[in-house]
Amino acid sequence: MSQKNLFNRSALAIAVAIISSNASAAGFLLNEYSTSALGRAFSGAGAVGDNASEGSRNPAAMMLFDRPALSVGAVYIDPTVDIKGRDNDMFTANNIAPNALVPNAHFIFPINDKWAVGTSMTTNFGLATDFSKDYAGGLAGGKTDLKTVNLNLSGAYRLNDNFSFGLGANAVYADAEITRHLGVGSQSIPLPGVGPSTTAAKLKGDDWGYGWNAGILYEINQDNRLSFTYRSKVKVKFEEGKFSNDLPALAGGLNGSTVKGKLDLNLPDVWEFSGYHKVAPQWAVHYTAAYTGWSEFKELTAYQKSNGKELFHKPEHFKDAWRLALGTTYFYDDNWTFRTGIAYDESPVPAKYRSISIPDQDRYWLSAGSTYAFNENASVDVGIAYMYGKKVNINERLKEDSPATMTHFKSEGSAWLYGVNFNYTF
């Protein structure tokens, strides 16, 4: 088992983690930008205009506000993801995805009836899976952790009573860590101090990427509007990645020392169309169709930092994927608003390329939430959603260069999501 092969596996795993993020959306693209949106399964995103969070989804939606508006909150994700060995129980691992808290903050400042500016802090990508250190399949499944923060600054312009346009700039900070252990691979290295929990690969890195987003809001009338948005791909350059392992030098390892590698990744772009229609004095319906350009992720190539030598090159064959959502809102009175929604997330990962470190699958959502307005300025949102993933089979080599290590798994996952946001208009 060479140092190069271990680096290839770890860099590959972290790249897949970064390009495809948290256990609450297919492809692991996070949607949790707001609690009110969570309660309607993110249907109507960018068109509803119920609080300041809508500006992060569609900058043109900021023209729906005539006073400064603030929204701050978080969504708590409680996933249950299990991996089962189809041929051997030693490859079974339960609850591999830890809980996560996804914060959000948004502010909109209308300058006049023609212009508005706004800013937001959200998380668009994120992943966490964690197997035990002595897991038998440790070369394929260990600790994979990605945290990102998306900072957005945007502006909007109202052309007339019907059309508004918005444009924003995004700075994305990504912090990632991947750790793999030998597991049953330790049997091929009969050396003192080498066992299943020996660290075979550990890669850490953090860096910034930059992109932009744009949106159009078409207001048919006061009760009906359409939103069309685009968020660009973002290239994250991991220029100072640190790789290490605890393998002894006799096994081609680093014995705890560190080397540097670099890797460029393109996070996918997203097209989104939404609608909002108040069909009765107390009822509204909303819907969204989003298309994510995962096919941008065709291959991975990593280089050694010191000399630019190619460390690996591997095709991935991700495919573009859809997200469809439908919801309804009930305006009970001046204080209470209730909402619900359903959604379907299509996985971008072809079945033969699934990995136990990111056991992606098609997902179905059922959501509900409410808003309580204390007065005309202050309100609080609460929301809850249940996400269920289809059962899938995974066939993965524990060592990429060894067909004999092909191992068969099955996976199923679900998650409960709970959110709360405080909203205030000045």
Side-chain angles (χ1 to χ4, degrees):
M1 184 183 299
S2 70
Q3 170 187 331
K4 178 179 176 181
N5 287 337
L6 287 172
F7 181 81
N8 291 355
R9 282 203 61 82
S10 63
L12 173 63
I14 201 169
V16 173
I18 292 166
I19 198 67
S20 45
S21 324
N22 182 300
S24 63
F28 300 105
L29 174 68
L30 288 176
N31 277 301
E32 288 75 16
Y33 69 98
S34 135
T35 295
S36 60
L38 173 70
R40 55 178 186 267
F42 306 102
S43 61
V48 177
D50 49 358
N51 57 60
S53 67
E54 288 293 86
S56 68
R57 205 68 169 201
N58 180 3
M62 295 190 297
M63 297 313 303
L64 296 172
F65 296 81
D66 56 10
R67 292 189 294 163
L70 172 73
S71 182
V72 179
V75 175
Y76 180 74
I77 304 173
D78 182 11
T80 300
V81 181
D82 298 330
I83 298 292
K84 298 186 182 300
R86 285 157 52 196
D87 303 323
N88 194 321
D89 285 341
M90 71 177 177
F91 292 108
T92 293
N94 296 322
N95 295 320
I96 65 168
N99 299 347
L101 185 68
V102 182
N104 65 83
H106 315 268
F107 182 70
I108 293 174
F109 182 78
I111 299 173
N112 52 42
D113 59 357
K114 287 289 188 180
W115 294 93
V117 294
T119 186
S120 66
M121 184 280 294
T122 57
T123 298
N124 293 332
F125 296 88
L127 171 69
T129 55
D130 196 0
F131 293 76
S132 64
K133 291 183 179 181
D134 59 353
Y135 176 59
L139 289 174
K143 179 180 180 181
T144 307
D145 187 19
L146 170 74
K147 299 179 180 68
T148 67
V149 177
N150 188 102
L151 305 177
N152 174 263
L153 180 64
S154 56
Y157 172 72
R158 177 178 289 278
L159 180 64
N160 53 40
D161 290 341
N162 302 110
F163 283 99
S164 297
F165 302 89
L167 184 66
N170 296 285
V172 179
Y173 174 74
D175 186 342
E177 176 182 346
I178 182 80
T179 302
R180 294 292 180 263
H181 303 279
L182 282 178
V184 295
S186 63
Q187 298 172 6
S188 63
I189 310 177
L191 293 173
V194 175
S197 61
T198 298
T199 299
K202 184 174 183 178
L203 182 64
K204 297 182 68 175
D206 64 287
D207 223 313
W208 288 86
Y210 304 93
W212 58 277
N213 64 304
I216 300 172
L217 183 70
Y218 177 60
E219 298 176 71
I220 303 171
N221 53 43
Q222 185 176 354
D223 295 329
N224 298 274
R225 45 188 173 266
L226 304 174
S227 166
F228 183 72
T229 62
Y230 174 77
R231 186 168 71 233
S232 76
K233 64 184 180 182
V234 174
K235 177 176 286 189
V236 179
K237 291 178 173 286
F238 287 87
E239 294 287 346
E240 299 292 336
K242 297 180 179 179
F243 172 76
S244 65
N245 63 47
D246 291 334
L247 293 171
L250 289 175
L254 295 174
N255 201 27
S257 61
T258 299
V259 297
K260 292 184 178 181
K262 62 179 182 178
L263 182 71
D264 291 350
L265 293 171
N266 289 325
L267 302 180
D269 58 353
V270 181
W271 299 85
E272 189 168 65
F273 173 76
S274 299
Y276 170 87
H277 307 281
K278 194 170 185 180
V279 296
Q282 291 182 286
W283 287 95
V285 296
H286 23 78
Y287 47 86
T288 290
Y291 186 73
T292 304
W294 287 108
S295 60
E296 176 71 25
F297 185 42
K298 298 180 184 298
E299 61 187 21
L300 290 168
T301 305
Y303 301 92
Q304 189 170 328
K305 178 71 173 178
S306 60
N307 56 22
K309 179 181 177 181
E310 183 177 297
L311 293 172
F312 76 86
H313 174 83
K314 186 177 186 301
E316 285 302 323
H317 306 296
F318 270 37
K319 62 180 182 179
D320 296 341
W322 285 93
R323 185 179 200 277
L324 305 174
L326 175 66
T328 185
T329 296
Y330 176 59
F331 304 96
Y332 179 73
D333 58 23
D334 290 340
N335 298 106
W336 286 100
T337 300
F338 300 94
R339 57 185 65 87
T340 189
I342 57 174
Y344 166 72
D345 279 320
E346 181 185 19
S347 171
V349 182
K352 67 178 180 178
Y353 294 105
R354 289 193 187 104
S355 168
I356 63 171
S357 62
I358 46 167
D360 201 29
Q361 57 207 245
D362 294 346
R363 291 169 166 83
Y364 303 90
W365 290 70
L366 179 62
S367 301
S370 65
T371 297
Y372 179 75
F374 301 99
N375 50 51
E376 64 178 7
N377 297 322
S379 64
V380 63
D381 304 320
V382 294
I384 184 172
Y386 178 71
M387 182 277 298
Y388 174 74
K390 294 174 60 178
K391 295 180 181 179
V392 295
N393 292 321
I394 301 170
N395 303 310
E396 185 173 12
R397 295 179 184 178
L398 299 184
K399 293 175 60 179
E400 281 186 48
D401 57 353
S402 176
T405 65
M406 178 67 74
T407 307
H408 306 287
F409 309 87
K410 61 181 177 180
S411 174
E412 58 182 314
S414 63
W416 285 96
L417 298 91
Y418 312 91
V420 61
N421 265 66
F422 175 75
N423 312 300
Y424 193 82
T425 54
F426 298 89

